[in-house]
């Protein structure tokens, strides 16, 4: 902000911008606790931002904005317990690379790795898995700075009631300063990517889920085409994509050509169905084997906005058929594919998979393209199936709706009342989704 000495923070998608009173870059948990105490003394609210990959205003504040870019690196690797403790501001990419150097790996992860570990876990970031759940479900312990500046160590044995909730805490319980993850010896995954008709994918959805450790697919609206991906553990040997073929698939087609296609579709919406048919046929079948993070994750350079809902897995096929019927009868022109993933039930209070087998249905629109009509129509379908919105992605749900759809919602808000009675970590988004 020229002339004010204050800077404006924006998220990755450009959907949120804030100008805080001040920013802080603590380099230790002690400095972090001091910043929290100072903010409370000054009557300012506190939020922490990572890399801005949330589409909602979950991290927004006009008070004190904490940037954790100095809180990075691995504190310790415990090979007897098979855990790694990492500073909260560490990007997932750096964590994955460091673990690989140690011959270790997370069990499961999402499809990008730009986020910080605290930002990813606090909003429930997930990949796809039949038996292995979200990144937060792999947490074995965490360190939390609470509203009075106290530093709590939390695990199943130490402050277990806080641990039960804070793994996906939305920044509402305090500032996470370190996380301990369960890890395992590095393994190989074989990825099989294959085009498949939409009707076949839905007819075989339960079998594809049951027969593969990690199954996901992308459906291209305005077409009957999908691209499927099956990841399963492999005895090897490693056989990564060739340098040229990998570049063609992951950079030229999935990013470069797709960027051009989205830009054209934004300028000429009537061309979107034809572009979708071409895009859905551009990716061919391929199989490769590599270490986990190189299979689970891929570059995402085309900017977009996103909404994702978690529905009971048994409702996924019906919900997807309804989405397709809605698109076909509407004037909407959708250039981005719909992404479908799964997760087992977990025991985290505000996890979108809390207590139930889950399917995730994510819809996207190219940045700069009107998205509210499409997202609203999809949201109506998802909520009719008891859908739970991803905490970091666009949605319109409020505390009244969420309390009905999360059996342990009251447990979380009661803990929040205890740890942050003065709402030091409050913002408008948390007021909407958690109530006052």
């Amino acid at each position: 902000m020229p002339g004010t000495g204050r800077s404006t923070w924006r998220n990755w998608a450009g959907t949120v911008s804030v100008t805080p009173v001040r920013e802080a870059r603590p380099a230790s948990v002690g400095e972090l606790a001091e910043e929290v105490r100072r903010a409370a003394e000054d009557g300012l609210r506190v939020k922490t931002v990572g890399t801005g990959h949330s589409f909602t205003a979950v991290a927004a504040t006009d008070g004190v904005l904490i940037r954790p870019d100095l809180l990075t690196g691995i504190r310790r690797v415990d090979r007897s317990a098979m855990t790694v403790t990492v500073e909260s501001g560490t990007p997932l990419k750096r964590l994955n690379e460091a673990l690989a150097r140690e011959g270790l790996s997370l069990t499961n992860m999402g499809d990008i790795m730009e986020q910080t570990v605290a930002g990813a876990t606090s909003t429930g970031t997930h990949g796809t898995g039949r038996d292995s759940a979200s990144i937060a479900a792999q947490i074995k312990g965490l360190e939390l700075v609470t509203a009075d500046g106290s530093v709590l160590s939390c695990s199943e044995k130490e402050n277990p009631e806080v641990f039960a909730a804070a793994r996906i805490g939305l920044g509402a319980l305090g500032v996470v300063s370190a996380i301990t993850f369960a890890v395992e010896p590095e393994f190989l995954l074989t990825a099989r990517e294959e085009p498949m008709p939409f009707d076949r994918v839905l007819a075989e959805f339960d079998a594809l889920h049951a027969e593969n450790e990690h199954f996901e697919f992308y459906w291209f609206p305005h077409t009957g085409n999908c691209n499927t991906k099956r990841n399963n553990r492999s005895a090897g040997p490693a056989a990564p994509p060739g340098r040229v073929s990998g570049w063609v698939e992951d950079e030229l087609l999935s990013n470069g050509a797709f960027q051009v296609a989205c830009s054209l579709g934004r300028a000429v919406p009537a061309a979107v169905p034809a572009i979708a048919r071409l895009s859905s046929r551009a990716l061919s079948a391929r199989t490769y084997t590599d270490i986990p993070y190189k299979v689970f994750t891929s570059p995402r350079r085309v900017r977009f906005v996103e909404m994702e809902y978690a529905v009971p897995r048994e409702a996924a096929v019906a919900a997807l058929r309804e989405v397709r019927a809605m698109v076909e009868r509407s004037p909407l022109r959708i250039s981005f594919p719909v992404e479908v993933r799964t997760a087992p039930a977990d025991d985290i209070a505000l996890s979108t998979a809390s207590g139930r087998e889950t399917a995730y249905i994510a819809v996207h629109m190219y940045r700069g393209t009107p998205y509210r009509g499409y997202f609203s129509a999809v949201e109506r379908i998802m909520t009719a199936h008891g859908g739970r919105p991803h905490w970091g992605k666009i949605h319109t749900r409020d505390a009244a709706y969420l309390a009905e759809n999360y059996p342990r919602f009251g447990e979380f808000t009661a803990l929040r009342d205890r740890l942050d009675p003065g709402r030091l970590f409050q913002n408008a988004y948390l007021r909407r989704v958690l109530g006052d």
Side-chain angles (χ1 to χ4, degrees):
M1 296 287 287
T4 68
R6 295 165 61 183
S7 60
T8 297
W9 174 86
R10 293 178 175 81
N11 66 344
W12 179 83
T15 54
V16 179
S17 63
V18 293
T19 305
V21 170
R22 65 173 180 262
E23 293 186 4
R25 282 186 161 86
S28 68
V29 65
E31 291 182 12
L32 173 59
E34 179 56 34
E35 290 291 351
V36 170
R37 286 191 289 268
R38 181 183 168 207
E41 291 169 0
D42 294 343
L44 299 172
R45 300 195 190 278
V46 179
K47 300 305 294 180
T48 304
V49 295
T51 53
H53 273 267
S54 287
F55 299 89
T56 64
V58 63
T61 185
D62 57 2
V64 177
L65 191 73
I66 294 176
R67 292 183 179 265
D69 41 319
L70 299 180
L71 292 170
T72 61
I74 291 178
R75 284 191 186 179
R76 63 183 172 273
V77 176
D78 185 336
R79 290 186 180 273
S80 61
M82 289 303 286
T83 61
V84 59
T85 301
V86 61
E87 303 285 351
S88 60
T90 306
L92 284 167
K93 181 176 182 178
R94 286 182 58 186
L95 172 60
N96 286 329
E97 291 171 346
L99 288 176
R101 289 193 295 271
E102 297 284 339
L104 301 171
S105 177
L106 296 173
T107 298
N108 199 356
M109 60 195 76
D111 58 7
I112 64 170
M113 54 180 181
E114 306 306 316
Q115 313 102 308
T116 62
V117 294
T121 55
S122 294
T123 55
T125 294
H126 61 88
T128 189
R130 181 190 61 205
D131 308 306
S132 53
S134 69
I135 303 175
Q138 298 168 70
I139 294 177
K140 304 300 287 184
L142 58 84
E143 186 178 79
L144 184 73
V145 177
T146 58
D148 63 359
S150 299
V151 180
L152 292 183
S153 294
C154 308
S155 67
E156 290 180 346
K157 295 181 179 179
E158 195 172 8
N159 295 303
E161 75 289 353
V162 179
F163 176 73
R167 286 171 287 171
I168 299 179
L170 313 185
L173 304 177
V175 180
V176 175
S177 52
I179 298 175
T180 298
F181 291 102
V183 294
E184 58 179 298
E186 189 175 73
F187 53 93
L188 292 173
L189 285 172
T190 291
R192 178 182 171 191
E193 299 177 3
E194 180 184 11
M196 193 177 291
F198 178 86
D199 290 333
R200 179 185 166 192
V201 174
L202 266 57
E204 299 178 10
F205 179 71
D206 287 339
L208 289 164
H209 167 78
E211 294 166 3
N212 295 281
E213 293 175 79
H214 309 274
F215 172 70
E216 63 186 305
F217 71 93
Y218 299 83
W219 165 58
F220 294 80
H222 312 296
T223 81
N225 303 326
C226 296
N227 197 46
T228 64
K229 185 175 182 181
R230 287 168 266 193
N231 299 331
N232 290 286
R233 295 198 184 209
S234 169
R243 178 176 295 182
V244 174
S245 62
W247 179 84
V248 169
E249 290 280 345
D250 297 326
E251 292 293 348
L252 179 61
L253 295 179
S254 296
N255 285 291
F258 189 50
Q259 174 81 58
V260 173
C262 288
S263 297
L264 177 59
R266 184 174 63 185
V268 188
V272 166
I275 294 170
R277 288 190 290 271
L278 287 173
S279 297
S280 67
R281 296 187 183 114
L283 298 174
S284 57
R286 64 172 178 166
T287 300
Y288 54 95
T289 301
D290 213 331
I291 61 175
Y293 83 85
K294 293 185 179 181
V295 174
F296 284 130
T297 69
S298 53
R300 292 283 185 269
R301 309 196 199 288
V302 181
R303 302 222 175 192
F304 54 85
V305 293
E306 181 178 1
M307 181 178 73
E308 180 179 65
Y309 264 82
V311 298
R313 187 165 57 80
E314 63 271 18
V317 169
L320 284 163
R321 291 194 188 282
E322 291 170 36
V323 171
R324 184 182 187 184
M326 179 274 293
V327 170
E328 288 178 345
R329 68 174 179 262
S330 77
L332 295 168
R333 294 294 178 260
I334 314 301
S335 59
F336 252 85
V338 174
E339 182 180 21
V340 181
R341 295 174 286 177
T342 66
D346 65 41
D347 64 350
I348 305 172
L350 291 189
S351 168
T352 44
S354 181
R356 72 185 190 191
E357 295 276 329
T358 294
Y360 294 100
I361 300 174
V363 296
H364 316 68
M365 288 291 274
Y366 183 50
R367 191 171 73 168
T369 304
Y371 64 84
R372 296 191 185 279
Y374 176 39
F375 284 12
S376 294
V378 172
E379 191 171 42
R380 284 192 293 272
I381 293 169
M382 298 302 148
T383 54
H385 290 282
R388 298 168 178 170
H390 188 298
W391 298 107
K393 298 177 184 180
I394 293 169
H395 68 93
T396 66
R397 299 299 88 191
D398 60 14
Y401 174 89
L402 296 165
E404 291 183 357
N405 284 275
Y406 281 90
R408 297 172 64 185
F409 189 85
E411 175 186 326
F412 185 94
T413 55
L415 180 63
R416 180 191 185 211
D417 287 342
R418 176 162 72 83
L419 292 181
D420 186 20
R423 299 295 187 263
L424 181 69
F425 304 112
Q426 175 81 289
N427 64 9
Y429 178 80
L430 293 183
R431 187 177 299 112
R432 171 164 66 90
V433 300
L434 297 178
D436 242 348

